[in-house]
Amino acid sequence: MTKILLVEDDYHLGIILNDQLEMNGYEVKLLRLPKNTVETLREEDFDLVIMDKLLSGVDGTEICAEIRSTDSVSNVPILMMSGYDGARSVCLAAGADEFIAKPFAVQPLLETIESTIKKHRNLNN
């Protein structure tokens, strides 16, 4: 089963995304404290990280860059999301593999998740 680390500090959005992903066959760990992302990635194996750009007390691009600079977890694919204009280029420059603009429908999110994971697996096989 594909395992996703969902880094989302918005309570309601976190629950909605978690439930939608689980209903579509993913195993999800919802992380509310973005500062624990790298530590969590070191402790468990994940097929994908989904993270918002705007997280409480930190910019998600900082967490993304930290993941990319941490040897043991730098290879995990990252999907970032945001509703801000210009966020796509900033997130991709920080090391995100893919970006999805908010608001988004569930089906495009699922398609982006699948394509990101598939691309990552093809590069590593």
Side-chain angles (χ1 to χ4, degrees):
M1 181 179 286
T2 301
K3 190 171 177 183
I4 296 175
L5 177 61
L6 174 60
V7 184
E8 180 56 67
D9 60 346
D10 179 286
Y11 180 80
H12 297 291
L13 182 57
I15 295 296
I16 291 167
L17 286 173
N18 186 87
D19 290 351
Q20 285 293 324
L21 293 171
E22 286 181 346
M23 286 189 309
N24 282 280
Y26 297 102
E27 180 181 344
V28 181
K29 178 167 189 164
L30 176 56
L31 184 62
R32 299 285 189 184
L33 300 172
K35 66 181 182 178
N36 295 341
T37 303
V38 171
E39 177 184 335
T40 302
L41 287 170
R42 284 181 170 154
E43 293 171 354
E44 298 177 51
D45 291 329
F46 292 92
D47 298 292
L48 179 69
V49 174
I50 299 176
M51 179 172 30
D52 201 340
K53 182 185 182 315
L54 183 61
L55 297 163
S56 57
V58 66
D59 188 320
T61 57
E62 293 173 15
I63 302 293
C64 183
E66 183 182 357
I67 292 168
R68 292 294 177 239
S69 66
T70 305
D71 288 339
S72 60
V73 298
S74 63
N75 201 27
V76 177
I78 301 170
L79 168 60
M80 292 193 70
M81 56 188 168
S82 178
Y84 293 101
D85 286 338
R88 175 183 202 78
S89 60
V90 173
C91 291
L92 295 175
D97 294 274
E98 192 54 78
F99 176 86
I100 191 162
K102 289 180 176 179
F104 51 80
V106 173
Q107 193 57 43
L109 173 64
L110 296 173
E111 291 168 4
T112 303
I113 288 169
E114 280 303 309
S115 68
T116 304
I117 291 170
K118 183 178 180 181
K119 185 168 106 179
H120 177 75
R121 287 182 178 155
N122 287 340
L123 289 174
N124 291 305
N125 287 332

